[in-house]
Amino acid sequence: MARFAAVCMLAAAACCLLRSLAFVPAPATRSDALTTATGAAVIATIPAGADAFVYKGKEYFDVFYGIEPLAWAFCGFCIVYYGAVLKNAAQKYNIPPAPVPPKVGGFVGKEVENSEPSYMDPSIKQGPY
């Protein structure tokens, strides 16, 4: 239960950092000053349009979401490096399966193995016909 509460607190903090409306409290109705302050807080947490900017009359969108390209490259490097470390650890500590026992002889039918008459013997009537 403690882990669930910690995960919920981290999710709430992440949403607040991303300026989401998911965890904005409802305005209180106690006083006009409190209502005004709460309204100002709600307005401050409303996300901006699309983080787009206008240059020479044309609107552009920030494809890096406001994060430096070097930080994106470092994040990609970390993901690839971590994947390589996991792959190498899995290969290093992998226990190979037991060796397959060698095959001795070929296929032997059920009638030979169990000393039964062959199903192809015409003298034995099998089935309802």
Side-chain angles (χ1 to χ4, degrees):
M1 188 66 180
R3 288 183 184 172
F4 180 72
V7 169
C8 288
M9 291 297 290
L10 285 174
C15 287
C16 288
L17 288 176
L18 296 174
R19 297 174 14 184
S20 172
L21 293 175
F23 291 95
V24 175
T29 57
R30 293 185 186 166
S31 68
D32 291 334
L34 187 60
T35 304
T36 305
T38 306
V42 168
I43 289 174
T45 59
I46 292 176
D51 291 332
F53 60 93
V54 178
Y55 179 71
K56 291 186 179 179
K58 187 173 179 185
E59 186 175 15
Y60 294 92
F61 183 73
D62 185 11
V63 294
F64 293 111
Y65 301 106
I67 301 172
E68 295 291 326
L70 184 61
W72 281 109
F74 180 71
C75 179
F77 172 78
C78 288
I79 290 171
V80 170
Y81 181 79
Y82 183 67
V85 168
L86 285 178
K87 178 195 72 80
N88 291 340
Q91 286 181 343
K92 180 179 181 180
Y93 297 110
N94 185 23
I95 299 172
V100 179
K103 290 193 172 221
V104 179
F107 174 76
V108 177
K110 182 183 88 152
E111 64 277 353
V112 174
E113 187 174 318
N114 296 333
S115 301
E116 295 176 352
S118 174
Y119 72 94
M120 298 181 71
D121 189 4
S123 64
I124 300 173
K125 179 160 171 61
Q126 296 179 351
Y129 27 87

